[in-house]
Amino acid sequence: MTNHYVATVPVKYTDGEGQERTRFQRVGAMFRNTRNGDGSEFFSLKLDFPVGVQELVMFPPSSKEPQE
């Protein structure tokens, strides 16, 4: 199981054939953490830069991304 997810924002666009597509722009990473006291899990989100969006989408990291 991965200890982090890639934080993205969905960006809609129209391709050369007139089809609406969605790409996902990386904006940061979300890390899984465990509390020492009771072992409960929580997540921390680290943004690459200030983001003013309404939706974030998290993905497991791809094999080409460096593991942190």
Side-chain angles (χ1 to χ4, degrees), residues 30-52:
M30 183 178 74
F31 296 90
R32 180 187 311 266
N33 299 284
T34 305
R35 293 189 197 282
N36 288 335
D38 61 4
S40 62
E41 288 187 339
F42 65 97
F43 295 91
S44 61
L45 178 62
K46 307 292 185 186
L47 299 176
D48 294 338
F49 49 85
V51 178

Side-chain angles (χ1 to χ4, degrees):
M1 180 184 289
T2 184
N3 69 338
H4 80 281
Y5 286 82
V6 177
T8 67
V9 294
V11 178
K12 294 191 183 297
Y13 68 97
T14 303
D15 67 12
E17 299 173 359
Q19 297 246 351
E20 186 174 282
R21 304 271 187 195
T22 303
R23 68 178 175 84
F24 295 89
Q25 176 68 46
R26 179 192 160 99
V27 294
M30 183 178 74
F31 296 90
R32 180 187 311 266
N33 299 284
T34 305
R35 293 189 197 282
N36 288 335
D38 61 4
S40 62
E41 288 187 339
F42 65 97
F43 295 91
S44 61
L45 178 62
K46 307 292 185 186
L47 299 176
D48 294 338
F49 49 85
V51 178
V53 297
Q54 295 177 349
E55 181 179 11
L56 292 172
V57 181
M58 308 304 174
F59 291 102
S62 66
S63 59
K64 62 185 174 189
E65 285 206 22
Q67 296 292 319
E68 297 178 16

